[in-house]
């Protein structure tokens, strides 16, 4: 896996640095989708449905790609 280091702003991975796999032409992807699942502790013994968090390439600082959280339209307050 060839990857670049990326900084994530907002959302569930706010402030984290992690690798992001580059595209076939060697550039970072325009969008990163991060699925997240979990368990409802005490109220259910089955996993919660997966929730997909969307991050959009926003900037580049030195050699680090910066992705900004994109809130789902149904949850947006604007």
């Amino acid at each position: 896996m060839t990857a670049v280091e990326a900084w994530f702003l907002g959302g569930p991975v706010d402030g984290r640095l992690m690798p992001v796999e580059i595209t076939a032409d060697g550039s970072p992807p325009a969008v990163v989708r991060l699925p997240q699942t979990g368990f409802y502790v005490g109220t259910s013994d089955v996993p919660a449905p997966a929730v997909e968090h969307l991050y959009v390439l926003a900037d580049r600082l030195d050699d680090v790609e910066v992705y900004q959280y994109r809130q789902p339209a149904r949850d947006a307050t604007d």
Side-chain angles (χ1 to χ4, degrees):
M1 170 180 97
T2 304
V4 295
E5 191 171 38
W7 181 264
F8 288 83
L9 298 175
V13 296
D14 186 41
R16 295 187 189 171
L17 279 172
M18 61 172 110
V20 171
E21 193 169 347
I22 60 173
T23 63
D25 68 359
S27 60
V31 173
V32 175
R33 298 176 192 279
L34 299 174
Q36 181 181 35
T37 59
F39 284 89
Y40 293 113
V41 178
T43 60
S44 176
D45 58 356
V46 296
V51 176
E52 188 175 80
H53 301 286
L54 183 70
Y55 288 81
V56 177
L57 185 60
D59 202 356
R60 183 182 174 107
L61 299 173
D62 297 321
D63 289 333
V64 178
E65 308 301 328
V66 178
Y67 286 87
Q68 180 70 49
Y69 179 65
R70 181 67 51 92
Q71 193 173 24
R74 66 183 180 280
D75 296 337
T77 57
D78 296 332

